Amino acid sequence: MARVYRSRGIGAAAVVAALLLGSASADPQQPAFANGVQRSVDAGPYGEFHSPFARVAEIVSPAVVYIEVRKAGAAARRRGGPFDDFFHDFTPRDKRRSEAPSSGSGFVMDPRGYILTNNHVIEGADGLQATFLNGEKYACELVGSDPRTDIAVIRITERARDGKPFPAIKLGDSDEIKIGDWAIAVGNPFGAQLAGTVTVGVISAKGRSDLNILGAEIDLQDFIQTDASINFGNSGGPLVNIRGEAVGMNSALNTQGQGIGFAIPINLAASVAQQLIATGHVRRGYLGIFLEDLTREVAEGKDWEISEGVLVTDVQEQSPAAKAGLQVDDVIVEFDAKPVQHSKAFKLLVAATDVGKKVALKVFRNGKYRDVSVTLGEYDEHTLAESEAGGSAWLGMTVVDITSKLAHDKFTLEGEDRGVVVTEVDPTSVAAKKGLGPGAVILEIVNQEIGGLADYNRIRDELKDRDKPITFKVKDGGTVRYVALTPTP
């Protein structure tokens, strides 16, 4: 898959926005001419020569800002050729720590001065400033950010100079947009020099996920794809409909494809923003299962007459799912009356559900459908890591299920779909002395196969009082070997 770049960056490359010119002559028999060129006499309700997009730009642009991010210790960067800033965005982060401020776009979502933007735009900021298209500059402070969705909210810390509320963009409904609808992007490609650029396209697709966003860890993805031109520096700017309502927030682009840009749906962005404004952080629903998409091959292999849903591959102990009675090999086909088709969308559904809410699931189990009621817990990275690791380390090793995000984020696990992955090893432990290290996959313990974390925890409990050597079958660095570990008092 081609890499997708977040659209952050500053620069001076020349980018020109094109607005459509469309009109109809009031009297087709009597066309008007100017300098020998035929022109329309009546161009519609917004005036002669102007397209509907001109009105949209007029409504939206006053609420769009250029965000300058300052970081402590940043040194002034040498100004060279006109493309210096453009190539700056391709420089690895660790090469840029002492360089000049970065920048991006944002837009006022609340007249009190709350600005919606991307987390990657303001990440690591020690100072923030928002500049409106009329030239007014305001100092801002960070309200809160959410790296998992790449959403952040900042707030203007002073009143508008005319004493009036700040201009704000009305938020639309991203659930209602359709492929082919008009999409208008407004922002600051390549920095302040091209501030307020307007580009026009259509909604190209919805629900894009699994994008390889360079330099970001956005694991809750549900992007809108558009062919409205999005460039570096457009990050955080609004994607609006023909009524001038925000339906998305521009976030990323694919430099290997023309007319391919991505925006976060405004319903997701607004939901996260409201929590950030209220509490400064985001609370997310937590179920406590590992899962994968149900494929036709798996369904046929198990003689299941079912074609859609997500397959439960493991259930964490003491999790909301375990307490509700969910089991390995359950297929979840509905969540809170919403159909479930793909694991990515399902995870987003769970994460977006209020903590403590009682949710109805429809589950396919042993050839029959049944209803399961589950009360969602709260997603917490520290608690989740502890749960995935099964509590304290055993024989000096801490492990996670091979299907967990943590395992796949940290290690290359090609070719393995069962077992547990060692994430940490106590350097003084018997496991370390036998050469086991992070990334090793445990496949068997004392001749018992390890399908996942549940098997590992069960066998660990069975062997907790054993004083004889315990034989592990592990795959380490592509080599399968047996390792005998003798418990120490």
Side-chain angles (χ1 to χ4, degrees), residues 418-486:
R418 68 176 184 88
V420 294
V421 183
V422 178
T423 58
E424 295 181 31
V425 177
D426 182 340
T428 65
S429 68
V430 61
K433 293 175 181 177
K434 288 298 182 78
L436 285 176
V441 180
I442 299 175
L443 302 172
E444 291 181 8
I445 303 176
V446 192
N447 299 320
Q448 296 184 67
E449 286 193 355
I450 306 297
L453 189 60
D455 289 339
Y456 178 88
N457 288 338
R458 173 180 54 78
I459 297 171
R460 179 197 61 189
D461 292 342
E462 291 173 356
L463 300 175
K464 64 181 180 180
D465 297 324
R466 182 180 175 113
D467 55 8
K468 296 191 300 183
I470 300 172
T471 303
F472 291 75
K473 181 180 180 180
V474 300
K475 184 175 183 180
D476 195 2
T479 302
V480 176
R481 62 190 177 107
Y482 288 93
V483 179
L485 304 181
T486 302

Side-chain angles (χ1 to χ4, degrees), residues 316-432:
Q316 294 175 341
E317 294 181 352
Q318 302 303 313
S319 66
K323 294 174 182 177
L326 281 176
Q327 301 175 10
V328 173
D329 280 352
D330 281 350
V331 180
I332 301 173
V333 296
E334 279 188 15
F335 177 89
D336 201 17
K338 300 179 182 68
V340 173
Q341 297 176 326
H342 306 291
S343 59
K344 287 287 185 181
F346 178 74
K347 290 176 182 178
L348 196 60
L349 275 176
V350 174
T353 303
D354 292 339
V355 174
K357 181 177 179 179
K358 196 171 187 178
V359 177
L361 306 181
K362 180 173 282 188
V363 172
F364 180 84
R365 180 188 298 167
N366 297 328
K368 296 179 180 180
Y369 290 96
R370 62 184 67 203
D371 295 323
V372 175
S373 181
V374 58
T375 300
L376 294 188
E378 180 174 1
Y379 177 91
D380 178 82
E381 290 186 359
H382 300 294
T383 303
L384 183 60
E386 239 177 63
S387 174
E388 287 181 344
S392 59
W394 180 41
L395 300 175
M397 298 180 292
T398 301
V399 303
V400 297
D401 194 283
I402 198 167
T403 63
S404 71
K405 180 179 182 297
L406 179 60
H408 285 269
D409 282 350
K410 292 185 67 173
F411 308 106
T412 301
L413 302 171
E414 294 180 2
E416 289 299 331
D417 57 1
R418 68 176 184 88
V420 294
V421 183
V422 178
T423 58
E424 295 181 31
V425 177
D426 182 340
T428 65
S429 68
V430 61

Side-chain angles (χ1 to χ4, degrees), residues 300-322:
E300 289 178 353
K302 290 180 174 288
D303 294 324
W304 290 344
E305 294 182 357
I306 183 173
S307 59
E308 291 184 340
V310 293
L311 177 62
V312 177
T313 59
D314 206 350
V315 180
Q316 294 175 341
E317 294 181 352
Q318 302 303 313
S319 66

Side-chain angles (χ1 to χ4, degrees), residues 222-260:
D222 184 31
F223 286 106
I224 298 168
Q225 182 182 327
T226 180
D227 65 346
S229 183
I230 295 175
N231 293 284
F232 292 99
N234 272 115
S235 278
L239 185 72
V240 302
N241 60 23
I242 198 66
R243 294 187 295 274
E245 301 166 338
V247 294
M249 178 171 63
N250 302 318
S251 296
L253 65 144
N254 185 344
T255 57
Q256 297 183 12
Q258 295 297 317
I260 301 178

